[in-house]
Amino acid sequence: MLFTAHFKRYLQIFVGCLLGGIAMNIFLIPAQLLSGGLSGIAMMLYYLFKLPIGVQLIVYNIPIVYIAYKVFGKLYAVDTIVGMVLFSVCVDATRFLGSYNLVDDRMLCSIFGGVLGGIGYGLIFRAVSNTGGLDVIGAVIKKYYSFDVGTAIFFLNLVVVLIGVLIFNFKTGLFTLIAMYVSGEITNKVVAGFNRKKSITIMSPQVERMAPLIMQYLNRGVTFFHGEGAFTRQPKKVMFVVVSLTQVGKIKSIVYALDPSAFMIISDTSDVAGRGFTMKNVLPQELIDDLAIDPEDEIIEDDEQ
């Protein structure tokens, strides 16, 4: 079981590195664009002197791996080495893809290079790994100076882009910023998970009647919180439930049918785990039998209120 977990994790890191390398060689390099961090520096030297990017990354990361070992310990350093080596190998191994020149529009290259690269980096970060470079430097800065990692990496990447503007041209810098922004957004989405759900908080005197309907009709678990009105100082029950996007309309139907003045908060939720989502949720037959619906309860079927 432990071997399988490690295998899946390193396979995920490899797939992420491969996607990152493909994004670089199919979209970014043919369009003469840059990337953030050490990859951006390596790409500049590749454009100027044709030095292999993967080999450069390994050389540049040697002192960074040492810093990772001294500051964060052996396990972090090992993960950094694995991610860095796999990414470097994938970048050089997929270099031949650039010769196909699939896309000749720089805007498309910046967007799709960012999308594909963001998916790759997201998979790597989701596997709790990294590819070395500025990610490690940002983590060190956060540890010693309490500076936000994202902010630190942003400013370090900005320096790389400014150097690229000085060496090449302003348009290259602008397209690179587009690619970096898209990549960052996609990376965040992948790390957070595409398992997007809705968490709903309901405050109403009728939550005791709403809960059985939700459990029976939607097969979702419901949790009660005990609250207190700040003005009235009266105890209140607050109902909490997590549902899929397609079930939001049904929840609203049940809630507003029983209490048109109910106070309801619907929020985006990602990467939900547990029974009913990553585990099979089956209500016991005894509970289903007990959740008899009162015929006099009118349930609005239309999702639009």
Side-chain angles (χ1 to χ4, degrees):
M1 183 67 69
L2 183 61
F3 173 79
T4 303
H6 281 298
F7 175 78
K8 289 182 178 179
R9 177 170 178 261
Y10 287 114
L11 178 62
Q12 181 174 321
I13 296 172
F14 169 73
V15 172
C17 291
L18 182 62
L19 292 177
I22 292 174
M24 190 177 291
N25 284 294
I26 287 185
F27 297 108
L28 301 184
I29 293 177
Q32 294 283 297
L33 299 179
L34 301 174
S35 180
L38 294 183
S39 297
I41 297 174
M43 291 169 77
M44 288 185 220
L45 295 178
Y46 173 77
Y47 297 145
L48 295 173
F49 307 110
K50 296 301 179 183
L51 298 177
I53 295 175
V55 175
Q56 290 186 71
L57 291 176
I58 291 177
V59 174
Y60 301 156
N61 273 291
I62 291 175
I64 292 179
V65 170
Y66 176 75
I67 294 173
Y69 173 74
K70 297 296 290 185
V71 175
F72 299 109
K74 180 180 178 181
L75 292 178
Y76 187 89
V78 169
D79 278 343
T80 300
I81 292 172
V82 170
M84 177 265 294
V85 171
L86 284 177
F87 183 72
S88 300
V89 170
C90 288
V91 169
D92 282 351
T94 57
R95 186 168 54 180
F96 70 94
L97 295 174
S99 60
Y100 293 107
N101 196 23
L102 298 178
V103 182
D104 57 3
D105 185 286
R106 296 188 86 184
M107 177 60 78
L108 289 177
C109 286
S110 63
I111 293 174
F112 285 97
V115 169
L116 191 59
I119 294 174
Y121 298 136
L123 291 175
I124 295 170
F125 296 150
R126 194 175 172 86
V128 198
S129 185
N130 64 84
T131 58
L134 297 188
D135 296 331
V136 178
I137 300 300
V140 172
I141 292 175
K142 177 178 175 59
K143 180 173 181 177
Y144 288 106
Y145 299 101
S146 299
F147 205 62
D148 181 69
V149 175
T151 304
I153 294 176
F154 172 78
F155 281 111
L156 292 172
N157 284 334
L158 188 60
V159 172
V160 174
V161 174
L162 290 176
I163 294 173
V165 169
L166 294 175
I167 295 176
F168 301 102
N169 55 63
F170 190 67
K171 185 179 290 188
T172 296
L174 292 178
F175 280 120
T176 297
L177 287 175
I178 293 174
M180 290 172 59
Y181 174 78
V182 173
S183 178
E185 288 296 311
I186 298 298
T187 297
N188 291 336
K189 295 292 185 184
V190 174
V191 172
F194 287 103
N195 184 22
R196 311 296 294 185
K197 303 297 179 185
K198 295 289 185 179
S199 58
I200 303 177
T201 304
I202 304 166
M203 283 163 274
S204 166
Q206 301 296 327
V207 291
E208 292 277 10
R209 299 176 64 200
M210 298 172 187
L213 300 176
I214 292 173
M215 287 189 288
Q216 182 168 10
Y217 280 131
L218 277 70
N219 197 29
R220 292 297 182 201
V222 175
T223 300
F224 287 130
F225 297 120
H226 295 281
E228 179 181 304
F231 179 74
T232 63
R233 295 298 178 184
Q234 296 297 316
K236 294 184 177 181
K237 273 191 176 181
V238 180
M239 185 166 63
F240 179 78
V241 60
V242 178
V243 299
S244 64
L245 180 61
T246 58
Q247 293 176 319
V248 172
K250 295 179 180 179
I251 289 281
K252 293 167 69 176
S253 297
I254 292 173
V255 171
Y256 290 132
L258 298 179
D259 184 4
S261 62
F263 186 80
M264 182 162 50
I265 303 171
I266 302 176
S267 306
D268 289 326
T269 303
S270 63
D271 211 11
V272 180
R275 187 170 299 279
F277 294 95
T278 56
M279 300 171 60
K280 188 176 182 181
N281 184 31
V282 179
L283 294 177
Q285 186 61 45
E286 296 81 2
L287 178 59
I288 295 176
D289 294 338
D290 290 340
L291 296 179
I293 306 301
D294 189 338
E296 297 182 0
D297 286 339
E298 179 184 358
I299 305 300
I300 304 172
E301 294 296 338
D302 188 4
D303 287 355
E304 297 298 325
Q305 305 301 319

